[in-house]
Amino acid sequence: MDTRDGVAVAGPRGLVGSALLRRLAADGRDRVLPLGRAEADLRDPAATLRWFLEHRPARVYVAAAVVGGIQANIERPVEFLRDNLLIATSVLEAARAAGVKKLLYLGSSCIYPREAPQPIREDALLTGPLEPTNEPYAIAKIAGVRLAQAYRRQYGCEFISAMPTNLYGPGDKFDLRTSHVLPALIRRFHEAGRDGAASVTVWGTGAPRREFLHVDDLADALVCLMDRYDGDSPVNVGTGVDLTIAELAAKVRDLAAPGTRIEFDPSRPDGVPRKLLDVSRLTALGWRPRISLDEGIRSTLAWYRQHLQHGQDNR
Ligand code: GDP
């Protein structure tokens, strides 16, 4: 008899992992096995393999990663490259050795070439130079996606990968220096409203275009892929809709600190000019996002404010 059951979530305390835990708990179908730092150091192949052999999960979501915005990648390239490579190599090998039935590896839209035609299709991977500001992370994640494909080809493992667009939601990091743009804007405008500041400074020119997906929608899409997709190509996960950073800043301002003036600081990096995913592969499976950007910003702002009141600023 096959003793494997349960679904493991590697990186259970991160933005994506915690959304997956909420989604899987709401579903109630599976025994959920969180696989975080407390359970095993995923950079260590032997410790990772021990955990897999002991717990024998049937399915695995690999949401563990060192993540951060432009500034964090510039300051800590070794962790972004080395730790993410180690996590991919030790988790995928342990999953193979322990006979995991299906594994979903999380890539990211920022691993596509800087000049990829928009909206970006999955086959744009490795067709051109990367965006230098997140290259360490991108190199590691590309290796992870290719490794999942290699395990399919060499060992017949059901390993798939998903490429989420920019994510946001409860549990995000709101550190002004290292976070991604949306949580940074939520915090900046919240503080401007609180302090009665006349203006807020937003990095870059405001012209770059980005797509944003609420992490609860991502978790729902990942469960859909785990159930319905088994292919070699990674699958993009997004809304298929983008907006400029200036438009995004105005949305956050209107909700958090109406009337505040927005100023731009072009001495800060813009990053890639546009990043919008072609999500036709995913929508062909029947999946659609449910949370609008306005609704998502409103609820994430509320979460941030509530979190602050409880004295846990996530810094
Ligand atoms: P990216 O999508 O990989 O470029 O990562 P980010 O989320 O860090 O940045 C997205 C865009 O938002 C870039 O053009 C940034 O210059 C811009 N941006 C504006 N204000 C901020 C901010 O306070 N923090 C961050 N991280 N980005 C900002």
Side-chain angles (χ1 to χ4, degrees), residues 6 41 44 67 70 78 90-91 104 106 109 131 136-137 164 172 175 180 192 205 213 222 226 233 258 277 297 312:
D41 181 348
D44 175 348
V67 293
I70 285 177
V78 173
S90 54
V91 173
L104 191 158
L106 264 290
S109 63
E131 160 58 33
Y137 178 80
D172 211 341
D175 179 284
H180 283 282
T205 61
L213 180 71
L222 297 180
M226 186 64 101
S233 168
L277 295 180
I297 294 174
Q312 298 160 345

mmCIF file with all atom_site columns, all heavy atoms in Angstrom, residues 6 41 44 67 70 78 90-91 104 106 109 131 136-137 164 172 175 180 192 205 213 222 226 233 258 277 297 312:
data_model
loop_
_atom_site.group_PDB
_atom_site.id
_atom_site.type_symbol
_atom_site.label_atom_id
_atom_site.label_alt_id
_atom_site.label_comp_id
_atom_site.label_asym_id
_atom_site.label_entity_id
_atom_site.label_seq_id
_atom_site.pdbx_PDB_ins_code
_atom_site.Cartn_x
_atom_site.Cartn_y
_atom_site.Cartn_z
_atom_site.occupancy
_atom_site.B_iso_or_equiv
_atom_site.pdbx_formal_charge
_atom_site.auth_seq_id
_atom_site.auth_comp_id
_atom_site.auth_asym_id
_atom_site.auth_atom_id
_atom_site.pdbx_PDB_model_num
ATOM 1   N N   . GLY A 1 6   ? -0.896 13.529 2.153   1.00 0.00 ? 6   GLY A N   1
ATOM 2   C CA  . GLY A 1 6   ? -0.633 14.872 2.666   1.00 0.00 ? 6   GLY A CA  1
ATOM 3   C C   . GLY A 1 6   ? 0.060  15.752 1.651   1.00 0.00 ? 6   GLY A C   1
ATOM 4   O O   . GLY A 1 6   ? 0.639  15.260 0.677   1.00 0.00 ? 6   GLY A O   1
ATOM 5   N N   . ASP A 1 41  ? 16.333 22.918 7.345   1.00 0.00 ? 41  ASP A N   1
ATOM 6   C CA  . ASP A 1 41  ? 17.008 23.967 6.577   1.00 0.00 ? 41  ASP A CA  1
ATOM 7   C C   . ASP A 1 41  ? 17.057 23.489 5.127   1.00 0.00 ? 41  ASP A C   1
ATOM 8   O O   . ASP A 1 41  ? 17.796 22.562 4.791   1.00 0.00 ? 41  ASP A O   1
ATOM 9   C CB  . ASP A 1 41  ? 18.420 24.184 7.125   1.00 0.00 ? 41  ASP A CB  1
ATOM 10  C CG  . ASP A 1 41  ? 19.152 25.292 6.376   1.00 0.00 ? 41  ASP A CG  1
ATOM 11  O OD1 . ASP A 1 41  ? 18.668 25.730 5.307   1.00 0.00 ? 41  ASP A OD1 1
ATOM 12  O OD2 . ASP A 1 41  ? 20.215 25.726 6.870   1.00 0.00 ? 41  ASP A OD2 1
ATOM 13  N N   . ASP A 1 44  ? 20.045 22.718 2.990   1.00 0.00 ? 44  ASP A N   1
ATOM 14  C CA  . ASP A 1 44  ? 20.863 21.565 3.364   1.00 0.00 ? 44  ASP A CA  1
ATOM 15  C C   . ASP A 1 44  ? 20.226 20.289 2.787   1.00 0.00 ? 44  ASP A C   1
ATOM 16  O O   . ASP A 1 44  ? 19.161 19.857 3.240   1.00 0.00 ? 44  ASP A O   1
ATOM 17  C CB  . ASP A 1 44  ? 20.914 21.508 4.898   1.00 0.00 ? 44  ASP A CB  1
ATOM 18  C CG  . ASP A 1 44  ? 21.644 20.288 5.426   1.00 0.00 ? 44  ASP A CG  1
ATOM 19  O OD1 . ASP A 1 44  ? 21.918 19.351 4.648   1.00 0.00 ? 44  ASP A OD1 1
ATOM 20  O OD2 . ASP A 1 44  ? 21.916 20.262 6.638   1.00 0.00 ? 44  ASP A OD2 1
ATOM 21  N N   . VAL A 1 67  ? 13.324 36.333 -0.985  1.00 0.00 ? 67  VAL A N   1
ATOM 22  C CA  . VAL A 1 67  ? 12.644 37.256 -1.896  1.00 0.00 ? 67  VAL A CA  1
ATOM 23  C C   . VAL A 1 67  ? 12.822 38.700 -1.434  1.00 0.00 ? 67  VAL A C   1
ATOM 24  O O   . VAL A 1 67  ? 13.116 38.953 -0.271  1.00 0.00 ? 67  VAL A O   1
ATOM 25  C CB  . VAL A 1 67  ? 11.116 36.956 -1.995  1.00 0.00 ? 67  VAL A CB  1
ATOM 26  C CG1 . VAL A 1 67  ? 10.868 35.634 -2.658  1.00 0.00 ? 67  VAL A CG1 1
ATOM 27  C CG2 . VAL A 1 67  ? 10.451 37.011 -0.624  1.00 0.00 ? 67  VAL A CG2 1
ATOM 28  N N   . ILE A 1 70  ? 13.925 45.480 -5.609  1.00 0.00 ? 70  ILE A N   1
ATOM 29  C CA  . ILE A 1 70  ? 15.127 45.918 -6.324  1.00 0.00 ? 70  ILE A CA  1
ATOM 30  C C   . ILE A 1 70  ? 16.306 46.131 -5.370  1.00 0.00 ? 70  ILE A C   1
ATOM 31  O O   . ILE A 1 70  ? 17.403 45.617 -5.585  1.00 0.00 ? 70  ILE A O   1
ATOM 32  C CB  . ILE A 1 70  ? 14.824 47.261 -7.047  1.00 0.00 ? 70  ILE A CB  1
ATOM 33  C CG1 . ILE A 1 70  ? 13.968 47.023 -8.294  1.00 0.00 ? 70  ILE A CG1 1
ATOM 34  C CG2 . ILE A 1 70  ? 16.094 48.007 -7.418  1.00 0.00 ? 70  ILE A CG2 1
ATOM 35  C CD1 . ILE A 1 70  ? 13.574 48.303 -9.022  1.00 0.00 ? 70  ILE A CD1 1
ATOM 36  N N   . VAL A 1 78  ? 24.351 37.482 -2.992  1.00 0.00 ? 78  VAL A N   1
ATOM 37  C CA  . VAL A 1 78  ? 24.767 36.099 -2.688  1.00 0.00 ? 78  VAL A CA  1
ATOM 38  C C   . VAL A 1 78  ? 23.591 35.292 -2.152  1.00 0.00 ? 78  VAL A C   1
ATOM 39  O O   . VAL A 1 78  ? 23.334 34.173 -2.606  1.00 0.00 ? 78  VAL A O   1
ATOM 40  C CB  . VAL A 1 78  ? 25.952 36.080 -1.695  1.00 0.00 ? 78  VAL A CB  1
ATOM 41  C CG1 . VAL A 1 78  ? 26.244 34.653 -1.254  1.00 0.00 ? 78  VAL A CG1 1
ATOM 42  C CG2 . VAL A 1 78  ? 27.186 36.699 -2.331  1.00 0.00 ? 78  VAL A CG2 1
ATOM 43  N N   . SER A 1 90  ? 18.025 21.023 -3.328  1.00 0.00 ? 90  SER A N   1
ATOM 44  C CA  . SER A 1 90  ? 17.797 20.047 -2.261  1.00 0.00 ? 90  SER A CA  1
ATOM 45  C C   . SER A 1 90  ? 16.336 19.605 -2.207  1.00 0.00 ? 90  SER A C   1
ATOM 46  O O   . SER A 1 90  ? 16.060 18.423 -1.990  1.00 0.00 ? 90  SER A O   1
ATOM 47  C CB  . SER A 1 90  ? 18.308 20.532 -0.909  1.00 0.00 ? 90  SER A CB  1
ATOM 48  O OG  . SER A 1 90  ? 17.788 21.768 -0.588  1.00 0.00 ? 90  SER A OG  1
ATOM 49  N N   . VAL A 1 91  ? 15.388 20.511 -2.453  1.00 0.00 ? 91  VAL A N   1
ATOM 50  C CA  . VAL A 1 91  ? 13.974 20.107 -2.351  1.00 0.00 ? 91  VAL A CA  1
ATOM 51  C C   . VAL A 1 91  ? 13.576 19.194 -3.518  1.00 0.00 ? 91  VAL A C   1
ATOM 52  O O   . VAL A 1 91  ? 12.910 18.177 -3.320  1.00 0.00 ? 91  VAL A O   1
ATOM 53  C CB  . VAL A 1 91  ? 13.044 21.348 -2.272  1.00 0.00 ? 91  VAL A CB  1
ATOM 54  C CG1 . VAL A 1 91  ? 11.584 20.922 -2.336  1.00 0.00 ? 91  VAL A CG1 1
ATOM 55  C CG2 . VAL A 1 91  ? 13.316 22.141 -0.999  1.00 0.00 ? 91  VAL A CG2 1
ATOM 56  N N   . LEU A 1 104 ? 4.994  21.250 -7.342  1.00 0.00 ? 104 LEU A N   1
ATOM 57  C CA  . LEU A 1 104 ? 4.845  22.515 -8.054  1.00 0.00 ? 104 LEU A CA  1
ATOM 58  C C   . LEU A 1 104 ? 5.910  23.479 -7.559  1.00 0.00 ? 104 LEU A C   1
ATOM 59  O O   . LEU A 1 104 ? 5.943  23.806 -6.372  1.00 0.00 ? 104 LEU A O   1
ATOM 60  C CB  . LEU A 1 104 ? 3.445  23.090 -7.828  1.00 0.00 ? 104 LEU A CB  1
ATOM 61  C CG  . LEU A 1 104 ? 3.058  24.273 -8.715  1.00 0.00 ? 104 LEU A CG  1
ATOM 62  C CD1 . LEU A 1 104 ? 1.542  24.400 -8.788  1.00 0.00 ? 104 LEU A CD1 1
ATOM 63  C CD2 . LEU A 1 104 ? 3.657  25.576 -8.255  1.00 0.00 ? 104 LEU A CD2 1
ATOM 64  N N   . LEU A 1 106 ? 7.696  27.179 -7.637  1.00 0.00 ? 106 LEU A N   1
ATOM 65  C CA  . LEU A 1 106 ? 7.335  28.566 -7.909  1.00 0.00 ? 106 LEU A CA  1
ATOM 66  C C   . LEU A 1 106 ? 8.488  29.311 -8.557  1.00 0.00 ? 106 LEU A C   1
ATOM 67  O O   . LEU A 1 106 ? 9.540  29.475 -7.920  1.00 0.00 ? 106 LEU A O   1
ATOM 68  C CB  . LEU A 1 106 ? 6.989  29.262 -6.592  1.00 0.00 ? 106 LEU A CB  1
ATOM 69  C CG  . LEU A 1 106 ? 5.533  29.375 -6.135  1.00 0.00 ? 106 LEU A CG  1
ATOM 70  C CD1 . LEU A 1 106 ? 4.761  30.340 -7.004  1.00 0.00 ? 106 LEU A CD1 1
ATOM 71  C CD2 . LEU A 1 106 ? 4.861  28.032 -6.096  1.00 0.00 ? 106 LEU A CD2 1
ATOM 72  N N   . SER A 1 109 ? 7.683  36.005 -12.544 1.00 0.00 ? 109 SER A N   1
ATOM 73  C CA  . SER A 1 109 ? 7.683  36.727 -13.827 1.00 0.00 ? 109 SER A CA  1
ATOM 74  C C   . SER A 1 109 ? 8.968  37.522 -14.028 1.00 0.00 ? 109 SER A C   1
ATOM 75  O O   . SER A 1 109 ? 9.316  37.838 -15.159 1.00 0.00 ? 109 SER A O   1
ATOM 76  C CB  . SER A 1 109 ? 6.481  37.663 -13.890 1.00 0.00 ? 109 SER A CB  1
ATOM 77  O OG  . SER A 1 109 ? 6.570  38.639 -12.874 1.00 0.00 ? 109 SER A OG  1
ATOM 78  N N   . GLU A 1 131 ? 16.958 41.459 -16.644 1.00 0.00 ? 131 GLU A N   1
ATOM 79  C CA  . GLU A 1 131 ? 16.990 42.762 -15.984 1.00 0.00 ? 131 GLU A CA  1
ATOM 80  C C   . GLU A 1 131 ? 18.090 42.720 -14.910 1.00 0.00 ? 131 GLU A C   1
ATOM 81  O O   . GLU A 1 131 ? 18.027 41.887 -13.996 1.00 0.00 ? 131 GLU A O   1
ATOM 82  C CB  . GLU A 1 131 ? 15.612 43.022 -15.360 1.00 0.00 ? 131 GLU A CB  1
ATOM 83  C CG  . GLU A 1 131 ? 15.564 44.058 -14.277 1.00 0.00 ? 131 GLU A CG  1
ATOM 84  C CD  . GLU A 1 131 ? 16.069 45.420 -14.733 1.00 0.00 ? 131 GLU A CD  1
ATOM 85  O OE1 . GLU A 1 131 ? 15.895 45.777 -15.895 1.00 0.00 ? 131 GLU A OE1 1
ATOM 86  O OE2 . GLU A 1 131 ? 16.667 46.116 -13.875 1.00 0.00 ? 131 GLU A OE2 1
ATOM 87  N N   . PRO A 1 136 ? 20.396 38.162 -9.790  1.00 0.00 ? 136 PRO A N   1
ATOM 88  C CA  . PRO A 1 136 ? 20.759 37.041 -8.905  1.00 0.00 ? 136 PRO A CA  1
ATOM 89  C C   . PRO A 1 136 ? 19.563 36.122 -8.620  1.00 0.00 ? 136 PRO A C   1
ATOM 90  O O   . PRO A 1 136 ? 19.659 34.893 -8.715  1.00 0.00 ? 136 PRO A O   1
ATOM 91  C CB  . PRO A 1 136 ? 21.235 37.738 -7.621  1.00 0.00 ? 136 PRO A CB  1
ATOM 92  C CG  . PRO A 1 136 ? 21.624 39.120 -8.050  1.00 0.00 ? 136 PRO A CG  1
ATOM 93  C CD  . PRO A 1 136 ? 20.737 39.470 -9.200  1.00 0.00 ? 136 PRO A CD  1
ATOM 94  N N   . TYR A 1 137 ? 18.432 36.723 -8.300  1.00 0.00 ? 137 TYR A N   1
ATOM 95  C CA  . TYR A 1 137 ? 17.207 35.955 -8.041  1.00 0.00 ? 137 TYR A CA  1
ATOM 96  C C   . TYR A 1 137 ? 16.772 35.206 -9.309  1.00 0.00 ? 137 TYR A C   1
ATOM 97  O O   . TYR A 1 137 ? 16.428 34.019 -9.272  1.00 0.00 ? 137 TYR A O   1
ATOM 98  C CB  . TYR A 1 137 ? 16.119 36.931 -7.593  1.00 0.00 ? 137 TYR A CB  1
ATOM 99  C CG  . TYR A 1 137 ? 14.785 36.305 -7.328  1.00 0.00 ? 137 TYR A CG  1
ATOM 100 C CD1 . TYR A 1 137 ? 14.532 35.652 -6.128  1.00 0.00 ? 137 TYR A CD1 1
ATOM 101 C CD2 . TYR A 1 137 ? 13.753 36.381 -8.264  1.00 0.00 ? 137 TYR A CD2 1
ATOM 102 C CE1 . TYR A 1 137 ? 13.295 35.089 -5.869  1.00 0.00 ? 137 TYR A CE1 1
ATOM 103 C CE2 . TYR A 1 137 ? 12.519 35.822 -8.022  1.00 0.00 ? 137 TYR A CE2 1
ATOM 104 C CZ  . TYR A 1 137 ? 12.291 35.178 -6.813  1.00 0.00 ? 137 TYR A CZ  1
ATOM 105 O OH  . TYR A 1 137 ? 11.059 34.611 -6.569  1.00 0.00 ? 137 TYR A OH  1
ATOM 106 N N   . PRO A 1 164 ? 4.402  33.263 -11.200 1.00 0.00 ? 164 PRO A N   1
ATOM 107 C CA  . PRO A 1 164 ? 3.485  34.317 -10.770 1.00 0.00 ? 164 PRO A CA  1
ATOM 108 C C   . PRO A 1 164 ? 3.991  35.709 -11.123 1.00 0.00 ? 164 PRO A C   1
ATOM 109 O O   . PRO A 1 164 ? 5.187  35.955 -11.106 1.00 0.00 ? 164 PRO A O   1
ATOM 110 C CB  . PRO A 1 164 ? 3.428  34.166 -9.250  1.00 0.00 ? 164 PRO A CB  1
ATOM 111 C CG  . PRO A 1 164 ? 4.356  33.077 -8.887  1.00 0.00 ? 164 PRO A CG  1
ATOM 112 C CD  . PRO A 1 164 ? 5.136  32.670 -10.089 1.00 0.00 ? 164 PRO A CD  1
ATOM 113 N N   . ASP A 1 172 ? 2.622  40.301 3.687   1.00 0.00 ? 172 ASP A N   1
ATOM 114 C CA  . ASP A 1 172 ? 3.720  40.849 2.885   1.00 0.00 ? 172 ASP A CA  1
ATOM 115 C C   . ASP A 1 172 ? 4.737  41.549 3.793   1.00 0.00 ? 172 ASP A C   1
ATOM 116 O O   . ASP A 1 172 ? 4.464  41.810 4.958   1.00 0.00 ? 172 ASP A O   1
ATOM 117 C CB  . ASP A 1 172 ? 3.144  41.867 1.888   1.00 0.00 ? 172 ASP A CB  1
ATOM 118 C CG  . ASP A 1 172 ? 3.938  41.932 0.602   1.00 0.00 ? 172 ASP A CG  1
ATOM 119 O OD1 . ASP A 1 172 ? 5.099  41.495 0.595   1.00 0.00 ? 172 ASP A OD1 1
ATOM 120 O OD2 . ASP A 1 172 ? 3.389  42.430 -0.400  1.00 0.00 ? 172 ASP A OD2 1
ATOM 121 N N   . ASP A 1 175 ? 8.783  46.589 4.778   1.00 0.00 ? 175 ASP A N   1
ATOM 122 C CA  . ASP A 1 175 ? 10.031 47.323 5.028   1.00 0.00 ? 175 ASP A CA  1
ATOM 123 C C   . ASP A 1 175 ? 10.282 48.260 3.844   1.00 0.00 ? 175 ASP A C   1
ATOM 124 O O   . ASP A 1 175 ? 10.294 47.817 2.698   1.00 0.00 ? 175 ASP A O   1
ATOM 125 C CB  . ASP A 1 175 ? 11.174 46.311 5.164   1.00 0.00 ? 175 ASP A CB  1
ATOM 126 C CG  . ASP A 1 175 ? 12.501 47.004 5.393   1.00 0.00 ? 175 ASP A CG  1
ATOM 127 O OD1 . ASP A 1 175 ? 13.057 47.546 4.419   1.00 0.00 ? 175 ASP A OD1 1
ATOM 128 O OD2 . ASP A 1 175 ? 12.962 46.995 6.527   1.00 0.00 ? 175 ASP A OD2 1
ATOM 129 N N   . HIS A 1 180 ? 8.690  45.130 -1.999  1.00 0.00 ? 180 HIS A N   1
ATOM 130 C CA  . HIS A 1 180 ? 8.228  45.433 -3.348  1.00 0.00 ? 180 HIS A CA  1
ATOM 131 C C   . HIS A 1 180 ? 7.370  46.705 -3.315  1.00 0.00 ? 180 HIS A C   1
ATOM 132 O O   . HIS A 1 180 ? 7.014  47.202 -2.247  1.00 0.00 ? 180 HIS A O   1
ATOM 133 C CB  . HIS A 1 180 ? 7.443  44.252 -3.911  1.00 0.00 ? 180 HIS A CB  1
ATOM 134 C CG  . HIS A 1 180 ? 8.332  43.137 -4.354  1.00 0.00 ? 180 HIS A CG  1
ATOM 135 N ND1 . HIS A 1 180 ? 9.026  43.173 -5.535  1.00 0.00 ? 180 HIS A ND1 1
ATOM 136 C CD2 . HIS A 1 180 ? 8.668  41.983 -3.757  1.00 0.00 ? 180 HIS A CD2 1
ATOM 137 C CE1 . HIS A 1 180 ? 9.749  42.075 -5.655  1.00 0.00 ? 180 HIS A CE1 1
ATOM 138 N NE2 . HIS A 1 180 ? 9.558  41.332 -4.585  1.00 0.00 ? 180 HIS A NE2 1
ATOM 139 N N   . ALA A 1 192 ? 1.924  58.910 5.724   1.00 0.00 ? 192 ALA A N   1
ATOM 140 C CA  . ALA A 1 192 ? 1.658  60.295 5.315   1.00 0.00 ? 192 ALA A CA  1
ATOM 141 C C   . ALA A 1 192 ? 0.297  60.736 5.860   1.00 0.00 ? 192 ALA A C   1
ATOM 142 O O   . ALA A 1 192 ? 0.158  61.858 6.363   1.00 0.00 ? 192 ALA A O   1
ATOM 143 C CB  . ALA A 1 192 ? 1.690  60.408 3.797   1.00 0.00 ? 192 ALA A CB  1
ATOM 144 N N   . THR A 1 205 ? 10.409 56.919 -12.136 1.00 0.00 ? 205 THR A N   1
ATOM 145 C CA  . THR A 1 205 ? 9.696  57.944 -12.907 1.00 0.00 ? 205 THR A CA  1
ATOM 146 C C   . THR A 1 205 ? 8.178  57.806 -12.818 1.00 0.00 ? 205 THR A C   1
ATOM 147 O O   . THR A 1 205 ? 7.450  58.697 -13.245 1.00 0.00 ? 205 THR A O   1
ATOM 148 C CB  . THR A 1 205 ? 10.079 57.817 -14.399 1.00 0.00 ? 205 THR A CB  1
ATOM 149 O OG1 . THR A 1 205 ? 9.679  56.499 -14.836 1.00 0.00 ? 205 THR A OG1 1
ATOM 150 C CG2 . THR A 1 205 ? 11.578 57.995 -14.617 1.00 0.00 ? 205 THR A CG2 1
ATOM 151 N N   . LEU A 1 213 ? -1.168 40.693 -8.614  1.00 0.00 ? 213 LEU A N   1
ATOM 152 C CA  . LEU A 1 213 ? -2.120 39.620 -8.308  1.00 0.00 ? 213 LEU A CA  1
ATOM 153 C C   . LEU A 1 213 ? -2.192 39.443 -6.789  1.00 0.00 ? 213 LEU A C   1
ATOM 154 O O   . LEU A 1 213 ? -1.157 39.351 -6.118  1.00 0.00 ? 213 LEU A O   1
ATOM 155 C CB  . LEU A 1 213 ? -1.626 38.311 -8.955  1.00 0.00 ? 213 LEU A CB  1
ATOM 156 C CG  . LEU A 1 213 ? -2.498 37.071 -8.731  1.00 0.00 ? 213 LEU A CG  1
ATOM 157 C CD1 . LEU A 1 213 ? -3.808 37.177 -9.520  1.00 0.00 ? 213 LEU A CD1 1
ATOM 158 C CD2 . LEU A 1 213 ? -1.754 35.799 -9.149  1.00 0.00 ? 213 LEU A CD2 1
ATOM 159 N N   . LEU A 1 222 ? -2.705 28.032 -7.927  1.00 0.00 ? 222 LEU A N   1
ATOM 160 C CA  . LEU A 1 222 ? -1.721 26.956 -7.730  1.00 0.00 ? 222 LEU A CA  1
ATOM 161 C C   . LEU A 1 222 ? -2.417 25.632 -7.433  1.00 0.00 ? 222 LEU A C   1
ATOM 162 O O   . LEU A 1 222 ? -2.008 24.574 -7.935  1.00 0.00 ? 222 LEU A O   1
ATOM 163 C CB  . LEU A 1 222 ? -0.743 27.317 -6.605  1.00 0.00 ? 222 LEU A CB  1
ATOM 164 C CG  . LEU A 1 222 ? 0.126  28.559 -6.848  1.00 0.00 ? 222 LEU A CG  1
ATOM 165 C CD1 . LEU A 1 222 ? 1.058  28.804 -5.664  1.00 0.00 ? 222 LEU A CD1 1
ATOM 166 C CD2 . LEU A 1 222 ? 0.924  28.445 -8.149  1.00 0.00 ? 222 LEU A CD2 1
ATOM 167 N N   . MET A 1 226 ? -2.096 22.277 -9.638  1.00 0.00 ? 226 MET A N   1
ATOM 168 C CA  . MET A 1 226 ? -1.757 20.990 -9.015  1.00 0.00 ? 226 MET A CA  1
ATOM 169 C C   . MET A 1 226 ? -2.790 19.932 -9.426  1.00 0.00 ? 226 MET A C   1
ATOM 170 O O   . MET A 1 226 ? -2.452 18.782 -9.708  1.00 0.00 ? 226 MET A O   1
ATOM 171 C CB  . MET A 1 226 ? -1.729 21.179 -7.490  1.00 0.00 ? 226 MET A CB  1
ATOM 172 C CG  . MET A 1 226 ? -1.263 20.010 -6.687  1.00 0.00 ? 226 MET A CG  1
ATOM 173 S SD  . MET A 1 226 ? 0.463  19.554 -6.974  1.00 0.00 ? 226 MET A SD  1
ATOM 174 C CE  . MET A 1 226 ? 1.332  20.242 -5.587  1.00 0.00 ? 226 MET A CE  1
ATOM 175 N N   . SER A 1 233 ? 6.052  22.801 -19.817 1.00 0.00 ? 233 SER A N   1
ATOM 176 C CA  . SER A 1 233 ? 6.199  24.261 -19.805 1.00 0.00 ? 233 SER A CA  1
ATOM 177 C C   . SER A 1 233 ? 5.731  24.836 -18.474 1.00 0.00 ? 233 SER A C   1
ATOM 178 O O   . SER A 1 233 ? 4.736  24.384 -17.917 1.00 0.00 ? 233 SER A O   1
ATOM 179 C CB  . SER A 1 233 ? 5.345  24.876 -20.917 1.00 0.00 ? 233 SER A CB  1
ATOM 180 O OG  . SER A 1 233 ? 5.258  26.274 -20.735 1.00 0.00 ? 233 SER A OG  1
ATOM 181 N N   . PRO A 1 258 ? -6.001 60.457 1.106   1.00 0.00 ? 258 PRO A N   1
ATOM 182 C CA  . PRO A 1 258 ? -6.520 61.255 -0.002  1.00 0.00 ? 258 PRO A CA  1
ATOM 183 C C   . PRO A 1 258 ? -6.000 62.695 0.074   1.00 0.00 ? 258 PRO A C   1
ATOM 184 O O   . PRO A 1 258 ? -5.852 63.234 1.170   1.00 0.00 ? 258 PRO A O   1
ATOM 185 C CB  . PRO A 1 258 ? -8.043 61.231 0.208   1.00 0.00 ? 258 PRO A CB  1
ATOM 186 C CG  . PRO A 1 258 ? -8.319 60.117 1.156   1.00 0.00 ? 258 PRO A CG  1
ATOM 187 C CD  . PRO A 1 258 ? -7.062 59.884 1.947   1.00 0.00 ? 258 PRO A CD  1
ATOM 188 N N   . LEU A 1 277 ? 2.044  39.520 -17.974 1.00 0.00 ? 277 LEU A N   1
ATOM 189 C CA  . LEU A 1 277 ? 2.094  38.130 -18.422 1.00 0.00 ? 277 LEU A CA  1
ATOM 190 C C   . LEU A 1 277 ? 0.956  37.798 -19.379 1.00 0.00 ? 277 LEU A C   1
ATOM 191 O O   . LEU A 1 277 ? -0.164 38.304 -19.227 1.00 0.00 ? 277 LEU A O   1
ATOM 192 C CB  . LEU A 1 277 ? 2.005  37.200 -17.210 1.00 0.00 ? 277 LEU A CB  1
ATOM 193 C CG  . LEU A 1 277 ? 3.175  37.255 -16.235 1.00 0.00 ? 277 LEU A CG  1
ATOM 194 C CD1 . LEU A 1 277 ? 2.942  36.286 -15.085 1.00 0.00 ? 277 LEU A CD1 1
ATOM 195 C CD2 . LEU A 1 277 ? 4.482  36.919 -16.955 1.00 0.00 ? 277 LEU A CD2 1
ATOM 196 N N   . ILE A 1 297 ? -6.185 46.141 -2.616  1.00 0.00 ? 297 ILE A N   1
ATOM 197 C CA  . ILE A 1 297 ? -5.410 47.188 -1.934  1.00 0.00 ? 297 ILE A CA  1
ATOM 198 C C   . ILE A 1 297 ? -6.134 47.577 -0.643  1.00 0.00 ? 297 ILE A C   1
ATOM 199 O O   . ILE A 1 297 ? -5.518 47.727 0.408   1.00 0.00 ? 297 ILE A O   1
ATOM 200 C CB  . ILE A 1 297 ? -5.199 48.425 -2.840  1.00 0.00 ? 297 ILE A CB  1
ATOM 201 C CG1 . ILE A 1 297 ? -4.326 48.069 -4.040  1.00 0.00 ? 297 ILE A CG1 1
ATOM 202 C CG2 . ILE A 1 297 ? -4.545 49.569 -2.050  1.00 0.00 ? 297 ILE A CG2 1
ATOM 203 C CD1 . ILE A 1 297 ? -4.182 49.192 -5.069  1.00 0.00 ? 297 ILE A CD1 1
ATOM 204 N N   . GLN A 1 312 ? 3.015  44.379 15.594  1.00 0.00 ? 312 GLN A N   1
ATOM 205 C CA  . GLN A 1 312 ? 3.896  43.526 14.786  1.00 0.00 ? 312 GLN A CA  1
ATOM 206 C C   . GLN A 1 312 ? 4.002  44.163 13.415  1.00 0.00 ? 312 GLN A C   1
ATOM 207 O O   . GLN A 1 312 ? 3.134  43.994 12.574  1.00 0.00 ? 312 GLN A O   1
ATOM 208 C CB  . GLN A 1 312 ? 3.303  42.119 14.633  1.00 0.00 ? 312 GLN A CB  1
ATOM 209 C CG  . GLN A 1 312 ? 3.142  41.420 15.936  1.00 0.00 ? 312 GLN A CG  1
ATOM 210 C CD  . GLN A 1 312 ? 2.133  40.297 15.810  1.00 0.00 ? 312 GLN A CD  1
ATOM 211 O OE1 . GLN A 1 312 ? 1.371  40.207 14.851  1.00 0.00 ? 312 GLN A OE1 1
ATOM 212 N NE2 . GLN A 1 312 ? 2.137  39.422 16.787  1.00 0.00 ? 312 GLN A NE2 1
#
